[in-house]
Amino acid sequence: MRNQSIKFTGIRNGYKILTLCIFTFFPLWAYAQSTTPAQEVLEFYQKYMINCDHMFSNGVEKKRDGLFCNMNIEKYITKELHKKIISAYKSGTYSNLTGDRNYFTHTQDFDARWASFMSVTEIKVDRNNSVIRLLMNFPKGAGEPLAVCVRLHRESSVWKICQVDPSLYTDLPDCRDN
C-alpha cells in the first residue's frame, strides 16, 4: 500500500489553495476598506447631534471639554481643523469663526430626533478631497431645512472633515460653486 500524502502541487490542488486563501483573507480585506466620504459625514453628524443634545439637555455647562460634545473628535476631523477651533475658542474669537452658532451644524440648538432627518449628497469626490452636502430636514414645527457644505480630506485611508462652510446667502447652499 502506498502512503497517500497531501500534495500541494498540481492545478487541482492549486485551485483549492487559492480558494482557501481568498476565503481566509477576504474578510480582512473587506474590513480594511474605508467608508465613503458621504457615509463618514452622515455617521459623524448623527452621533454629534445625539451627543450634543444629551450633553446640553442635561444642563452640562459648556466648557472646552464640551466644545465637541464629549466626542472623540480626532476620529472625524483633521488636526488642522481641531487646532483652528481650539485656538478660536481659547482666544475668545469662536463666535467670529461660527457666527454665534455651532461650527459643524451652523445651528444654536440640538435635538437627537433631528439625526434621523439628515441626508447627504456627494457633490465632488476626487482622490484625496471631497465635498458633501448635508441636508438637515427638520421635523414639522422644528424649523426650515438647513444645509451645510462639508469638505473632507483623506488621511491614509480615512476621510476626515477639514472645513464646514457656512450658509452665507441661503440656508440651502448647493455646494457647487466652491
Side-chain angles (χ1 to χ4, degrees):
M1 230 187 223
R2 227 169 116 194
N3 188 358
Q4 296 290 327
S5 61
I6 299 174
K7 294 182 180 181
F8 287 102
T9 58
I11 294 175
R12 181 190 250 172
N13 288 326
Y15 284 132
K16 288 179 185 177
I17 292 170
L18 180 61
T19 303
L20 179 66
C21 289
I22 289 172
F23 285 120
T24 301
F25 295 114
F26 179 75
L28 299 174
W29 173 79
Y31 180 76
Q33 296 299 308
S34 64
T35 59
T36 67
Q39 290 170 325
E40 197 69 35
V41 167
L42 190 59
E43 176 186 325
F44 166 73
Y45 273 90
Q46 288 175 336
K47 287 181 182 179
Y48 188 75
M49 187 64 74
I50 291 167
N51 280 7
C52 289
D53 177 58
H54 290 309
M55 190 178 98
F56 290 111
S57 66
N58 292 334
V60 175
E61 180 183 323
K62 186 174 183 178
K63 51 187 173 194
R64 192 169 140 215
D65 293 342
L67 186 60
F68 300 112
C69 297
N70 297 325
M71 284 184 64
N72 179 14
I73 201 72
E74 291 86 6
K75 178 182 175 187
Y76 297 101
I77 68 173
T78 61
K79 290 178 184 176
E80 293 79 16
L81 180 57
H82 187 262
K83 286 178 187 175
K84 178 180 175 180
I85 294 171
I86 293 295
S87 176
Y89 182 79
K90 285 181 177 179
S91 68
T93 59
Y94 184 76
S95 62
N96 295 345
L97 180 67
T98 63
D100 290 327
R101 299 190 235 172
N102 178 275
Y103 179 81
F104 297 103
T105 62
H106 295 282
T107 63
Q108 293 179 338
D109 298 321
F110 298 97
D111 190 327
R113 294 174 292 172
W114 296 350
S116 61
F117 292 93
M118 294 180 177
S119 62
V120 291
T121 304
E122 209 169 73
I123 302 300
K124 177 183 171 187
V125 178
D126 65 29
R127 187 173 187 97
N128 291 317
N129 296 300
S130 177
V131 178
I132 304 295
R133 181 178 185 256
L134 172 80
L135 176 65
M136 294 177 275
N137 197 3
F138 304 116
K140 188 174 182 178
E144 295 299 315
L146 176 71
V148 292
C149 301
V150 183
R151 299 181 184 282
L152 295 98
H153 180 73
R154 186 192 318 248
E155 291 182 354
S156 299
S157 64
V158 179
W159 289 97
K160 292 191 174 188
I161 298 169
C162 61
Q163 181 178 332
V164 179
D165 295 338
S167 337
L168 296 175
Y169 305 110
T170 175
D171 286 339
L172 298 172
D174 66 5
C175 304
R176 293 188 193 281
D177 49 327
N178 296 331

